[in-house]
């Protein structure tokens, strides 16, 4: 597919790289970027061969420096709502995708950029990464899910400090508070992402998708229903070819050859 603001490429079998490609605006998320990300994600979701998605920003300065301030400055309340809902739909789509998404944060991840990273399943940060929700400095609140995903990930106290006081944090602190999974030198960011993606791609694809779903959605249920959801998904996986193959391979002391069936 051809995009104006994105690059989408297959890096290795089953492993795709999506790059937000507006380095002149620090990869800011305009309505067009959101629309293109949504259609790129739809095409990836329609492809049963996708095992993992890496998401990053073009250039060495920013992952994404936020929603596009120039575009938002002209928005009416209804346009602002439509923009927020479109982006929230994209973030929900990332969470609901059957393959994990890994954000490779190579610099600023501010506002909508931090929120995009939060909607991915893993965050790997370069040493120069910086995370923040500076929207209150612009007289608005986060609009792409930051007020809800950030406290769920790092707790209420840090989320309040970042969203209400607008304090940005650097990669080591992001690692300490559990916002990111790994911090690596900028030159090693892609390789670390590929290493994680390869590990995911080697597992049973149906099991990966359902396990991701359990962790993403189970937290919003009460414990009893969440545990029941786990049992139901466990039952579904017992009926798959991947389960037969995974267990046969273990018993025959060989590597499994999963087909995603
Ligand atoms: N939207 C639109 N353009 C942006 C942008 C954004 N979020 N962030 C940076 N840019 C543009 C700048 O306007 C500039 O363009 P020009 O060269 O045409 O002037 C270019 O990118 C380079 O930026 P700077 O010259 O500002 O680069 P810097 O190194 O001096 O500063 C920065 C970098 C600290 C990240 C600074 O650009 C900045 O503060 N950006 C805005 C960050 C921000 O407030 N993000 C939150 C946006 S609101 C939001 O995201 C709402 C939501 O949740 C829905």
């Amino acid at each position: 597919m051809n995009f104006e603001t994105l690059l989408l490429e297959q890096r290795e079998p089953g492993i795709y790289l999506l790059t937000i490609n507006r380095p002149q605006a620090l990869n800011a998320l305009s309505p067009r970027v959101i629309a293109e990300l949504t259609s790129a994600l739809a095409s990836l979701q329609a492809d049963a061969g996708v095992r993992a998605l890496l998401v990053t920003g073009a250039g060495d300065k920013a992952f994404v420096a936020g929603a596009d301030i120039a575009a938002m400055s002209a928005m009416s309340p209804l346009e602002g709502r439509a923009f927020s809902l479109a982006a929230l739909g994209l973030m929900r789509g990332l969470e609901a995708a059957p393959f994990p998404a890994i954000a490779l944060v190579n610099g600023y991840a501010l506002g909508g950029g931090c929120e995009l990273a939060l909607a991915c399943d893993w965050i790997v940060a370069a040493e120069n990464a910086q995370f923040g929700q500076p929207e209150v400095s612009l007289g608005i609140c986060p609009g792409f899910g930051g007020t809800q995903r950030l406290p769920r990930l790092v707790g209420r106290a840090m989320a309040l400090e970042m969203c209400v006081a607008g304090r940005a944090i650097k990669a080591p602190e992001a690692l300490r508070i559990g916002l990111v999974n790994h911090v690596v030198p900028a030159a090693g960011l892609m390789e670390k992402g590929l290493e994680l993606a390869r590990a995911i791609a080697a597992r049973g694809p149906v099991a990966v998708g359902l396990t991701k779903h359990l962790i993403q959605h189970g937290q919003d249920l009460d414990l009893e229903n969440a545990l029941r959801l786990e049992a139901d998904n466990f039952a579904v996986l017992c009926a798959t070819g991947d389960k037969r193959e995974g267990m046969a391979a273990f018993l025959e002391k060989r590597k499994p050859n999963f087909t995603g069936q």
Side-chain angles (χ1 to χ4, degrees), residues 83-261:
F83 185 45
S84 171
L85 288 175
L88 290 171
L90 165 69
M91 309 299 171
R92 281 311 245 176
L94 277 168
E95 286 173 341
F99 47 80
I102 302 169
L104 302 180
V105 176
N106 51 329
Y108 294 111
L110 300 176
C114 187
E115 292 165 302
L116 176 63
L118 285 167
C120 292
D121 302 286
W122 269 263
I123 303 177
V124 183
E127 282 167 350
N128 68 335
Q130 206 177 114
F131 297 83
Q133 298 287 164
E135 286 89 346
V136 285
S137 308
L138 298 165
I140 54 172
C141 68
F144 295 174
T147 60
Q148 303 310 309
R149 290 195 180 88
L150 201 52
R152 280 169 169 75
L153 193 59
V154 304
R156 201 168 65 127
M158 272 309 292
L160 280 165
E161 200 166 316
M162 289 176 70
C163 295
V164 176
R167 183 164 83 80
I169 61 170
K170 296 195 169 143
E173 188 173 5
L175 183 65
R176 186 174 58 72
I177 66 171
L179 175 57
V180 308
N181 296 70
H182 304 278
V183 176
V184 296
L189 188 61
M190 184 59 63
E191 191 44 44
K192 185 69 190 176
L194 285 169
E195 179 192 316
L196 284 167
R198 283 182 203 121
I200 294 162
R203 314 292 181 226
V206 189
V208 165
L210 292 187
T211 305
K212 166 182 157 162
H213 169 78
L214 283 168
I215 292 176
Q216 287 285 13
H217 298 285
Q219 287 181 91
D220 293 329
L221 299 177
D222 63 90
L223 185 60
E224 196 51 43
N225 279 304
L227 292 173
R228 193 164 286 275
L229 187 69
E230 184 179 279
D232 289 345
N233 279 273
F234 185 80
V236 168
L237 287 166
C238 283
T240 61
D242 279 356
K243 177 245 185 185
R244 280 192 296 282
E245 170 60 12
M247 295 200 178
F250 176 81
L251 295 172
E252 292 161 18
K253 301 192 187 307
R254 61 173 173 82
K255 278 196 172 163
N257 179 22
F258 291 118
T259 59
Q261 298 300 308

Side-chain angles (χ1 to χ4, degrees), residues 34-47:
I34 297 294
E36 292 195 347
L37 282 169
T38 303
S39 84
L41 184 62
S43 76
L44 291 166
Q45 280 179 312
D47 179 348

Side-chain angles (χ1 to χ4, degrees), residues 35-88:
E36 292 195 347
L37 282 169
T38 303
S39 84
L41 184 62
S43 76
L44 291 166
Q45 280 179 312
D47 179 348
V50 180
R51 296 285 174 266
L53 175 66
L54 304 171
V55 181
T56 196
D60 53 11
K61 206 167 160 186
F63 172 69
V64 167
D68 191 304
I69 298 170
M72 286 185 296
S73 70
M75 283 180 191
S76 69
L78 285 180
E79 287 165 342
R81 187 167 188 273
F83 185 45
S84 171
L85 288 175
L88 290 171

